[in-house]
Amino acid sequence: SGPFDLSGKPGRKLTINAKASDPDGDNLLIEWRQFKVGTYKGDVIVDSPDKARTTFTIPEDAKSGDTIHLVLKVTDDGEYGLVRYLRTVVTVR
């Protein structure tokens, strides 16, 4: 599936409602991280980087029109260690 698109003002806490499951029942390693391809060059802290559903706060110094990209990486612990990615793009208002 495509990226999640969110928007918000600086200082606002946003929730990302991603879901992760494995049809084989393998354990999943979940990791959120900032993908620094957006126009906002500062650091963004994800509150629970090891949970599919998480929150983060748009930094106070982000400007209207800036974009922040976050990537969810999910890896299963099966024989082949399959990986899936989901990008979330946040546009600052």
Side-chain angles (χ1 to χ4, degrees):
S1 62
F4 284 162
D5 292 313
L6 301 173
S7 65
K9 294 182 179 183
R12 179 166 177 218
K13 183 173 280 212
L14 298 180
T15 299
I16 305 172
N17 288 310
K19 294 181 183 177
S21 63
D22 185 278
D24 301 328
D26 294 328
N27 292 313
L28 298 175
L29 174 65
I30 295 173
E31 180 182 5
W32 280 102
R33 65 171 62 163
Q34 184 178 1
F35 186 38
K36 289 199 173 185
V37 297
T39 55
Y40 179 75
K41 299 303 181 191
D43 294 326
V44 173
I45 297 171
V46 177
D47 296 322
S48 297
D50 61 343
K51 307 285 185 209
R53 183 182 189 278
T54 191
T55 59
F56 74 99
T57 301
I58 298 173
E60 291 285 350
D61 64 342
K63 306 284 187 251
S64 181
D66 277 349
T67 58
I68 299 168
H69 294 242
L70 301 172
V71 173
L72 171 64
K73 177 183 177 184
V74 180
T75 308
D76 76 3
D77 69 352
E79 181 178 354
Y80 298 104
L82 301 175
V83 179
R84 178 101 189 232
Y85 296 92
L86 175 70
R87 184 187 305 205
T88 297
V89 179
V90 180
T91 303
V92 179
R93 292 190 270 140

